[in-house]
Amino acid sequence: MIQPIKKAVVLGAGTMGARIAAHFANAGLPCLLLDIVPKDAGPSERNKIAAAGLEAAKKSKPAAFFTPALASRIAIGNFEEDFRTAGAPDCPGIA
């Protein structure tokens, strides 16, 4: 049985991961971009690496997004807080 893809989760928000998330957004899928929590990060800095990856994708030349508005399809998070809940129920490939 074929399952439609409803959401994507990208593990790693470096150059490659952030652009992969952009491709999913360009294809119309909501995406969750996850990365590690920086050492000694305060509560407001726990998604700092994923946020930096998304910002770099927004500014990249050539453009990673077909239109700037598509970046809003990407949510950010981190492995410690968001990995376990990322897959259920929309991303069955994450366990």
Side-chain angles (χ1 to χ4, degrees):
M1 181 168 138
I2 297 175
Q3 287 185 312
I5 299 172
K6 298 177 185 175
K7 181 180 178 183
V9 178
V10 178
L11 307 178
T15 300
M16 179 83 73
R19 274 44 168 207
I20 290 170
H23 282 298
F24 282 125
N26 289 334
L29 289 174
C31 186
L32 179 59
L33 181 61
L34 301 177
D35 212 306
I36 62 171
V37 175
K39 287 185 179 182
D40 302 324
S44 65
E45 300 173 323
R46 294 185 61 78
N47 297 333
K48 183 172 151 179
I49 295 175
L54 178 56
E55 287 305 311
K58 289 179 184 178
K59 296 176 184 176
S60 68
K61 302 280 186 215
F65 296 97
F66 294 151
T67 65
L70 290 171
S72 67
R73 292 181 183 218
I74 300 175
I76 58 169
N78 64 69
F79 296 147
E80 292 178 15
E81 297 165 338
D82 304 301
F83 183 77
R84 288 284 168 223
T85 59
D90 295 330
C91 295
I94 301 290

